[in-house]
């Protein structure tokens, strides 16, 4: 797929719209009481997962975060089974045992979302080591958040990946807040990507609201990783469209800043690119319609799916 | 007063009384913490004493250890006991051992306030009951209050203590209500509390399990079984005498814990009683505990994974020989 290819763009748009509508529908279902626990929407950050994963092959791996629905959908998870997992149902990806923060799939090569911020980063390095030992050419994309860069594991995972030339691409989603704490209160560097130099790997900062920019930023890191030349860091600047999780109104977010970022909504940016590439509005509308249909099905599947059997669970655990 | 307000009252009063006391944690300032325990404290004491940290658990727990050694009295908040695992070296190798290894010269008067347990469908990494890990390590004190009054009195004592204290709250307790004494209120660490007296069975519990145990005792009373509910309140130091006295009176012991059964504090209580009051026992000791499983996300599975009131009732009935118990 080339960047300017209208079909490629349309596919990226469809993924972004799927993530957008999935999150919105999940929030609705949460309000209806069908989903419990923590739910961290990816609203406003869709371009990062879409762009980064559009650059990958199906057998490449990803490691996800607590804000992981977008990564999972972009990597190929079925929104129906995702929604079923959020509902805690048997047909969900984790059979109702993991929920929103723990969606994972071996076949899709999503090593997993994580309830621990930074919890997946060394795991990404480990998958990179496995690829290297097998002599493979796959890569691992380690999605991580600005908050995680304050944690030791972020630094250790970066350094280990660097010293052993592991095929890992750290895609840092800098939405500039960790719950209510702005990144400027957690880091003294203006660009978190400057830290890449400390580990001897390339680091760039790019517009995380433009999926095409993110996709392009993957090119050189992918080449290096597949050639055995080690890891890279891509910092993608973005902003949440709402609170930290579904029950956080996010009132601490500066409203003018939020408005500016919403003007550059990843879906608006992608639509503009589609128009520029000569894709007609009708074609975009057709995608939107298809996405809506999948979402209706997702909610139906999640509703219809059985709850996991308590008896079976007890039989499983009472012998342990 | 609510449990979370009682905790806040203890922090507020101790910060007012002792300028060395300061709070450290994620989102505890303007935001007031995830469970709103520190709400308003930053207005009163300023950002120099109510400090928002980055997500650097090992770093700021260790910083707390250092500040404590150097004469301050840090109260470090870790949002979930599950995240305290990121700081295990600082807790176990550093804080716990410093006093002993310095020949008794150094002290680490620090409190780590954290929160655990099931109840909100938060799945495997946000629902654990990990007190046994800290209970196991010499040099740490472990406090787990069940009521607002105990929360205030024990947090005050913990802040004044010269040793590192792991103070574990329960996510289902923050909104519970109860009478709390006004003004200075200190409950010495290491004293259990008989939350209900009885004569047929001793039921030992702590934290949220105390509430479930009291409900179980109520149900059993209607059946003519008189249950004595002992709230340990502090696991280390443990008030062994109160347990032994009660067991000598009732001749039966049930221990209810939310944590997984294997290697839990309940096992240790059982062992202590077996060693020291075997002669008083008229029935086998029963542990009503969580299954040895990761906590599931699905609410029905989550509930099934940890003891509910009915399980405690069944455990007590078994102890008095009424019926067989599914869980024990
Ligand atoms: C190690 C750890 N510390 C704290 C938390 C609680 N927590 C969950 S998300 C979050 C904020 C994360 O901010 P950031 O890393 O920037 O990710 P974002 O939510 O912005 O995507 C916090 C403090 C956690 N889950 N894990
Ligand atoms: Mg962030």
């Amino acid at each position: 797929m080339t960047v300017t290819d209208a079909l490629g763009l349309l596919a990226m748009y469809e993924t972004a719209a799927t993530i957008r509508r999935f999150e919105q529908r999940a929030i609705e279902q949460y309000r209806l009481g069908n989903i419990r626990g923590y739910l961290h929407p990816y609203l406003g950050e869709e371009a990062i997962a879409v762009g980064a994963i559009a650059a990958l092959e199906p057998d490449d791996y990803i490691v996800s975060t607590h804000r992981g629905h977008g990564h999972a959908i972009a990597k190929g998870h079925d929104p129906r089974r995702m929604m079923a997992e959020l509902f805690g149902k048997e047909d969900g990806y984790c059979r109702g045992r993991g929920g929103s923060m723990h969606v994972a799939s071996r076949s899709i090569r999503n090593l997993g979302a994580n309830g621990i911020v930074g919890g997946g980063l060394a795991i990404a390095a480990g998958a990179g080591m496995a690829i290297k030992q097998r002599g493979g050419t796959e890569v691992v994309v380690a999605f991580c958040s600005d908050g995680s860069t304050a944690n030791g594991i972020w630094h250790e995972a970066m350094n280990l990946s660097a010293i052993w030339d592991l095929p890992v691409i750290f895609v840092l989603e800098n939405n500039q807040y960790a719950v209510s704490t702005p990144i400027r209160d957690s880091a003294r560097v203006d660009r978190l990507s400057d830290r890449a130099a400390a580990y001897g790997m390339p680091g760039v900062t790019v517009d995380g609201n433009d999926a095409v920019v993110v996709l392009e930023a993957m090119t050189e890191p992918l080449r290096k990783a597949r050639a055995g030349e080690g890891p890279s860091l891509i910092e993608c600047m973005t902003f949440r469209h709402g609170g930290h999780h579904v029950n956080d109104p996010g009132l601490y977010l500066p409203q003018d800043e939020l408005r500016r970022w919403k003007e550059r909504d990843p879906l608006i940016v992608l639509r503009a690119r589609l128009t520029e590439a000569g894709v007609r509005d009708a074609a975009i509308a057709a995608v939107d319609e298809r996405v809506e249909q999948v979402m209706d099905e997702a909610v139906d599947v999640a509703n219809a799916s059985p709850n996991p059997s308590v008896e079976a669970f007890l039989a499983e655990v009472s012998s342990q | 007063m609510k449990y979370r307000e009682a905790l806040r009252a203890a922090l507020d009063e101790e910060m007012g009384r002792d300028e060395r006391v300061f709070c450290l944690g994620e989102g505890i300032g303007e935001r007031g913490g995830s469970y709103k325990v520190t709400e308003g404290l930053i207005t009163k004491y300023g950002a120099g004493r109510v400090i928002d940290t980055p997500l650097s658990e090992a770093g700021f727990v260790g910083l707390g250890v250092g500040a404590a050694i150097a004469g301050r009295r840090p109260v470090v908040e870790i949002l979930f006991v599950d995240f305290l695992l990121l700081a295990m070296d600082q807790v176990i190798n550093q804080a716990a051992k410093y006093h002993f290894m310095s020949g008794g010269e150094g002290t680490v008067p620090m409190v780590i306030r954290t929160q655990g347990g099931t109840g909100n469908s938060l799945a495997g990494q946000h629902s654990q009951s990990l007190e046994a890990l800290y209970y196991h390590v010499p040099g740490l004190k472990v406090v787990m209050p069940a009521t607002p009054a105990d929360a205030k009195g024990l947090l005050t004592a913990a802040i004044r203590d010269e040793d590192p204290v792991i103070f574990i709250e329960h996510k289902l307790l923050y909104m519970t209500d109860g009478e709390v004494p006004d003004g200075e209120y200190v409950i010495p660490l290491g004293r259990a509390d008989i939350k209900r007296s009885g004569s047929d069975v001793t039921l030992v519990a702590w934290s949220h399990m105390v509430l479930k145990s009291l409900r179980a005792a109520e149900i059993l009373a209607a059946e003519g079984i008189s249950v004595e509910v002992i709230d340990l309140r502090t696991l280390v130091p443990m008030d062994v005498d109160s347990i032994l006295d009660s067991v000598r009176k009732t001749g039966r012991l049930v221990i209810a814990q939310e944590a997984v059964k294997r290697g839990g504090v309940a096992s240790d209580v059982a062992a202590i009683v077996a060693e020291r009051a075997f002669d008083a026992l008229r029935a086998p000791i029963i542990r009503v505990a969580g299954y040895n499983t990761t906590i599931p996300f699905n609410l029905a599975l989550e509930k099934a994974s940890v003891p509910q009131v009915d399980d405690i009732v069944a455990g007590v009935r078994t102890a008095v020989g009424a019926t067989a118990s599914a869980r024990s």
Side-chain angles (χ1 to χ4, degrees):
Chain A
M1 181 172 65
T2 59
V3 171
T4 45
D5 181 332
L7 272 181
L9 278 174
L10 207 55
M12 288 208 284
Y13 175 77
E14 180 155 357
T15 308
T18 303
I19 298 169
R20 171 66 51 93
R21 292 299 294 143
F22 181 87
E23 298 294 43
Q24 291 171 335
R25 297 292 287 268
I27 292 168
E28 272 172 40
Q29 293 303 312
Y30 197 99
R31 305 265 178 253
L32 290 171
N34 290 329
I35 300 175
R36 296 168 184 280
Y38 281 147
L39 191 153
H40 305 93
Y42 199 59
L43 296 171
E45 308 186 15
E46 295 90 342
I48 303 171
V50 169
I53 293 173
L56 300 184
E57 300 297 331
D59 61 354
D60 290 326
Y61 295 90
I62 65 164
V63 163
S64 176
T65 67
H66 60 286
R67 200 176 296 290
H69 305 164
H71 312 140
I73 288 171
K75 191 69 174 73
H77 281 264
D78 181 342
R80 287 157 277 237
R81 289 191 59 202
M82 295 253 314
M83 193 66 85
E85 186 56 37
L86 268 54
F87 275 54
K89 297 295 189 71
E90 185 67 32
D91 295 316
Y93 277 100
C94 319
R95 299 174 55 222
R97 283 147 169 79
S100 163
M101 286 188 293
H102 303 290
V103 170
S105 161
R106 192 205 288 253
S107 60
I108 294 165
R109 298 210 160 182
N110 174 4
L111 297 175
N114 215 304
I116 303 300
V117 172
L121 293 170
I123 292 174
M129 179 64 92
I131 293 166
K132 189 176 169 178
Q133 289 179 345
R134 292 197 301 252
T137 56
E138 309 101 292
V139 303
V140 186
V141 168
F143 288 102
C144 54
S145 51
D146 50 286
S148 74
T149 66
N151 216 290
I153 198 72
W154 188 81
H155 299 264
E156 294 180 30
M158 295 261 290
N159 191 50
L160 291 176
S161 302
I163 60 171
W164 293 323
D165 292 322
L166 302 178
V168 183
I169 302 172
F170 294 89
V171 174
L172 169 52
E173 306 182 311
N174 186 352
N175 62 13
Q176 307 172 58
Y177 279 83
V179 195
S180 62
T181 304
I183 183 65
R184 65 175 173 279
D185 289 353
S186 290
R188 273 284 185 260
V189 287
D190 289 332
R191 285 166 177 258
L192 293 170
S193 64
D194 287 350
R195 291 183 178 167
Y199 303 104
M201 71 172 81
V204 293
T205 299
V206 303
D207 177 5
N209 275 30
D210 189 335
V212 173
V213 168
V214 175
L215 174 77
E216 285 173 340
M218 290 287 289
T219 309
E220 178 58 13
L222 272 173
R223 188 202 59 73
K224 277 176 66 83
R226 296 205 200 282
E229 293 171 23
S232 305
L233 170 65
I234 306 172
E235 178 188 22
C236 304
M237 300 306 297
T238 188
F239 212 77
R240 289 190 323 242
H241 279 188
H244 170 65
H245 56 63
V246 60
N247 287 331
D248 169 22
L251 300 176
Y252 46 81
L253 295 175
Q255 290 306 299
D256 50 331
E257 209 174 340
L258 177 58
R259 188 176 33 75
R260 275 202 307 280
W261 280 95
K262 278 190 168 175
E263 282 165 9
R264 300 206 55 263
D265 180 321
L267 272 88
I268 295 179
V269 173
L270 264 173
R271 271 195 222 106
R273 287 202 175 265
L274 283 168
T275 307
E276 207 179 299
V279 177
R280 279 169 308 145
D281 287 352
I284 301 175
V287 169
D288 286 338
E289 219 168 286
R290 192 157 63 231
V291 167
E292 214 49 45
Q293 209 177 321
V294 174
M295 289 309 131
D296 288 342
E297 283 172 35
V299 173
D300 289 347
V301 165
N303 267 313
S305 174
N307 273 301
S309 151
V310 172
E311 292 69 33
F313 168 73
L314 289 179
E316 217 173 279
V317 298
S318 56
S319 60
Q320 289 164 23
Chain B
M1 184 184 275
K2 293 205 161 50
Y3 186 89
R4 69 180 184 193
E5 293 162 346
L7 292 165
R8 187 186 309 143
L11 290 172
D12 189 0
E13 287 170 27
E14 287 309 288
M15 289 180 84
R17 209 171 278 134
D18 183 347
E19 57 83 29
R20 298 171 302 171
V21 179
F22 71 100
C23 298
L24 194 65
E26 293 166 21
I28 65 167
E30 289 302 337
R31 193 159 155 269
S34 280
Y35 292 91
K36 300 284 173 249
V37 170
T38 53
E39 196 163 60
L41 293 180
I42 191 166
T43 318
K44 197 160 169 188
Y45 299 104
R49 288 179 72 195
V50 182
I51 305 173
D52 272 340
T53 64
L55 276 77
S56 308
E57 284 82 6
F60 67 79
V61 168
L63 186 147
V65 178
I69 292 169
R72 311 306 286 178
R73 298 210 159 237
V75 181
V76 178
E77 177 177 311
I78 295 282
L79 295 172
F80 284 79
V81 72
D82 317 69
F83 311 160
L84 188 52
L85 300 177
L86 279 79
M88 278 305 238
D89 171 65
Q90 300 302 319
V91 174
I92 293 179
N93 285 321
Q94 313 303 333
K97 295 175 174 50
Y98 193 80
H99 178 65
F100 180 88
M101 296 195 306
S102 67
E105 205 174 284
T107 55
V108 186
M110 150 193 219
V111 179
I112 297 177
R113 277 190 47 241
T114 186
Q115 168 271 124
T118 59
N120 288 341
S121 247
L122 299 182
Q125 296 171 339
H126 287 73
S127 309
Q128 297 173 89
S129 297
L130 296 176
E131 62 268 24
L133 299 182
Y134 308 100
Y135 175 85
H136 182 71
V137 175
L140 299 174
K141 289 178 176 161
V142 182
V143 179
M144 296 183 76
T147 66
D150 288 349
K152 179 175 176 181
L154 291 167
L155 183 54
T156 304
I159 292 170
R160 296 182 185 186
D161 203 272
E162 293 302 319
D163 293 321
V165 178
I166 310 294
F167 192 95
I168 309 177
E169 299 150 17
H170 194 290
K171 53 176 70 62
L172 294 184
L173 290 176
Y174 289 110
M175 298 302 284
T176 57
D177 248 314
E179 291 289 320
V180 178
D182 272 338
E184 185 170 7
Y185 181 53
V186 190
I187 300 173
L189 304 186
R191 287 204 199 148
D193 185 39
I194 298 176
K195 287 279 191 301
R196 178 187 176 114
S197 27
S199 53
D200 295 331
V201 190
T202 300
L203 175 55
V204 171
W206 52 94
S207 190
H208 188 244
M209 258 322 132
V210 172
L211 272 57
K212 288 183 177 170
S213 295
L214 288 169
R215 266 179 270 146
E218 196 84 15
I219 293 167
L220 290 156
E223 298 173 11
I225 301 174
S226 168
V227 180
E228 178 145 296
V229 179
I230 298 189
D231 176 2
L232 285 183
R233 301 198 294 195
T234 69
L235 304 184
V236 183
M238 188 184 285
D239 186 354
V240 172
D241 289 342
S242 288
I243 303 171
L244 296 177
D245 287 349
S246 178
V247 170
R248 290 200 187 286
K249 181 174 74 174
T250 63
R252 296 182 174 89
L253 175 63
V254 177
I255 310 139
Q257 83 177 8
E258 181 168 334
V260 299
K261 195 166 190 173
R262 184 192 300 136
V265 175
S267 306
D268 212 43
V269 172
I272 291 166
V273 171
E275 275 176 355
R276 301 192 36 196
F278 190 74
D279 54 309
L281 287 169
R282 290 192 280 152
I285 299 168
I286 288 184
R287 292 170 297 155
V288 181
Y291 284 111
N292 296 322
T293 175
T294 297
I295 303 296
F297 166 67
N298 176 282
L299 195 63
L301 297 192
E302 181 189 60
K303 281 211 166 95
S305 71
V306 298
Q308 302 300 329
V309 174
D310 287 349
D311 299 307
I312 301 173
V313 168
V316 172
R317 283 192 194 129
T318 305
V320 297
T323 67
S325 157
R327 188 180 284 275
S328 52

